[in-house]
Amino acid sequence: MEASQSQSQSSNSLNPNRNPFASSLPLWPTIDGQLGLSEEESEKHARRFYNFGFLLLPLLWALNCFYFWPVLRHAHSFPRIRPYIVGSAVGFAVFTALLCSWALTFSIGGERLFGPVWDQLVMYNLADRLGLTSWN
């Protein structure tokens, strides 16, 4: 009897198919835990944040990813909410890449890249063009 118990314990500890993270799936979809929203309310909020992110408010996508971090972290949890959170993460990543490339293009390229059009693109000489710097 003792030999069979020790065999079953050793086979459980050596079983490569056993998932140690299966018991760590989140019970709540938000970072607040049980103080946060229920699953139905979470789906409604996640959908709203995802859709409003398309209205040139990509920081809502970042907020969506932050607030629903347990859903983003665990691939098999909350399947109704997950598409909105993953979409928000992809949307925010694309927005960040576009914003950084635009900023780097202007800061590194500058006048060498754009040539004579550069004076019309930059805003730091707007006051000179409008005559707002003369004190007369």
Side-chain angles (χ1 to χ4, degrees):
M1 173 111 173
E2 290 176 17
S4 65
Q5 285 179 351
S6 66
Q7 266 185 338
S8 67
Q9 288 175 355
S10 66
S11 66
N12 282 342
S13 64
L14 299 175
N15 187 358
N17 295 329
R18 195 171 147 217
N19 187 359
F21 299 110
S23 63
S24 68
L25 287 177
L27 299 174
W28 301 95
T30 62
I31 58 171
D32 325 15
Q34 58 186 327
L35 297 176
L37 304 170
S38 67
E39 190 171 350
E40 292 80 23
E41 291 174 335
S42 295
E43 181 183 7
K44 185 173 66 172
H45 286 337
R47 186 178 333 126
R48 277 189 192 156
F49 281 15
Y50 175 72
N51 290 333
F52 281 128
F54 286 108
L55 297 175
L56 299 177
L57 299 170
L59 289 178
L60 288 178
W61 285 334
L63 182 66
N64 208 8
C65 293
F66 173 74
Y67 191 61
F68 293 103
W69 178 252
V71 176
L72 190 61
R73 185 169 175 236
H74 299 284
H76 300 292
S77 64
F78 305 105
R80 293 184 340 201
I81 302 171
R82 187 160 174 79
Y84 300 116
I85 308 306
V86 171
S88 295
V90 170
F92 185 69
V94 168
F95 167 76
T96 303
L98 288 174
L99 182 66
C100 289
S101 65
W102 175 77
L104 288 174
T105 299
F106 274 86
S107 64
I108 293 172
E111 194 171 359
R112 290 177 300 173
L113 181 65
F114 294 102
V117 181
W118 177 251
D119 287 333
Q120 297 170 354
L121 292 175
V122 294
M123 296 297 289
Y124 61 79
N125 63 357
L126 182 65
D128 290 335
R129 279 192 273 158
L130 295 176
L132 299 175
T133 56
S134 64
W135 297 98
N136 297 337

